[in-house]
Amino acid sequence: MLEVRDLSVKYGNFTALHGVNLTVNPGEIVVLLGANGAGKSTLFRTLSGLQRPAGGSATWNGTPLTGGKPEFNVSHGVAQCPEGRLLFPQLSVQKNLRLGAYVHRRDPAGTEQALEHVYSLFPALVQKKHDPAGSLSGGQQQMVAIGRALMARPQLLLLDEPSLGLAPLVVEQVFQVLQQINQEGVSVLLAEQNAFAALGIAHRGYVMESGQITLQGTQNELMNDD
Ligand code: ADP
Ligand code: ADP
């Protein structure tokens, strides 16, 4: 499980996360709701090993994620799909996907299997596999970004605002795939501003405001809170 305990992050004198406590149990989809600037990306960057915390801890099945080595986190089962997708626009869809398999460099057969799995989750990408990623629609680029994270065959997938800028129908498609991945055994932590859509697929959620968790509960508890 993911255990975040009393996690604090500072940018200079500014405290972006104040003692955050959060868990994701095996098999769960957990949503982290919060407005722009709440600290969601800071938490995700910290869980991905891109940002060192000022205090507290974050572990996946007991393994610390805060050592500051993103490759370590990925090879221990935690992969991130960052906000804004961050694809290489001139490289083909397939090359972008292969970049996500970098932790399995010595396992070409596993890489091919992972590619087939991504194409089965996102059939729309099959026809586009040799096209530059930058030529795809926003929704398809998001699929490539999620697919690239899945190429590492993670146990925990961190998704930072995957619905950003996408049409509602495309958001629904992407969220359906997240449910499918989850049923295949991947735990998911999903950061979203779009509370309604995200709570529809989540088992539990947290609300973050100004770097602190201010509410937590099940889908029903969060939806009925006023
Ligand atoms: P969210 O993802 O919820 O929009 P962020 O984690 O991006 O929130 O930002 C949380 C707070 O930290 C904001 O006030 C933001 O301006 C600030 N912040 C984020 N990144 C940096 C940075 N690299 N340096 C200084 N302040 C930052
Ligand atoms: P594209 O069709 O977009 O060129 P390919 O998947 O055919 O993408 O190839 C991408 C690059 O990855 C090529 O340089 C190829 O030689 C290399 N490659 C092919 N198979 C593997 C593999 N199993 N693991 C790592 N690299 C590979």
Side-chain angles (χ1 to χ4, degrees):
M1 73 185 284
L2 175 70
E3 275 191 285
V4 176
R5 292 275 167 255
D6 225 7
L7 193 72
S8 296
V9 173
K10 293 187 176 189
Y11 298 116
N13 291 326
F14 174 73
T15 304
L17 294 184
H18 303 262
V20 167
N21 289 289
L22 173 152
T23 58
V24 178
N25 295 306
E28 274 189 321
I29 299 181
V30 173
V31 63
L32 179 66
L33 301 172
N36 238 337
K40 303 181 300 298
S41 296
T42 298
L43 175 64
F44 276 47
R45 281 203 300 275
T46 308
L47 298 179
S48 303
L50 295 165
Q51 172 72 47
R52 296 266 201 164
S57 63
T59 57
W60 172 247
N61 295 337
T63 303
L65 301 176
T66 48
K69 289 218 164 59
E71 186 159 346
F72 175 88
N73 293 15
V74 180
S75 66
H76 284 80
V78 180
Q80 175 178 218
C81 179
E83 185 186 337
R85 292 143 211 174
L86 306 183
L87 301 176
F88 290 92
Q90 288 92 349
L91 297 186
S92 71
V93 165
Q94 186 141 293
K95 283 193 174 107
N96 272 277
L97 290 175
R98 285 191 191 287
L99 289 171
Y102 69 98
V103 289
H104 304 299
R105 258 178 227 115
R106 286 175 219 88
D107 180 16
T111 300
E112 297 313 304
Q113 263 180 11
L115 261 183
E116 287 315 307
H117 183 232
V118 169
Y119 289 134
S120 74
L121 291 169
F122 299 111
L125 297 183
V126 174
Q127 291 185 349
K128 307 274 181 179
K129 62 169 85 162
H130 303 300
D131 294 359
S135 71
L136 272 58
S137 69
Q140 289 169 340
Q141 291 192 29
Q142 184 62 65
M143 294 172 192
V144 177
I146 295 172
R148 182 180 53 186
L150 291 174
M151 289 296 292
R153 284 173 279 162
Q155 302 162 307
L156 173 66
L157 181 62
L158 306 172
L159 284 150
D160 198 355
E161 304 221 27
S163 74
L164 208 67
L166 303 187
L169 211 63
V170 180
V171 174
E172 206 173 293
Q173 279 175 15
V174 168
F175 281 12
Q176 268 172 18
V177 170
L178 296 186
Q179 282 186 299
Q180 189 176 340
I181 298 163
N182 177 247
Q183 277 153 19
E184 292 169 4
V186 179
S187 306
V188 177
L189 179 61
L190 174 65
E192 275 293 339
Q193 300 194 37
N194 184 347
F196 193 73
L199 281 171
I201 64 161
H203 300 104
R204 284 189 305 122
Y206 295 85
V207 176
M208 184 179 260
E209 292 173 90
S210 305
Q212 289 178 301
I213 302 292
T214 52
L215 264 181
Q216 57 176 300
T218 62
Q219 179 186 353
N220 280 342
E221 285 164 355
L222 290 178
M223 280 206 187
N224 297 328
D225 191 275
D226 42 25

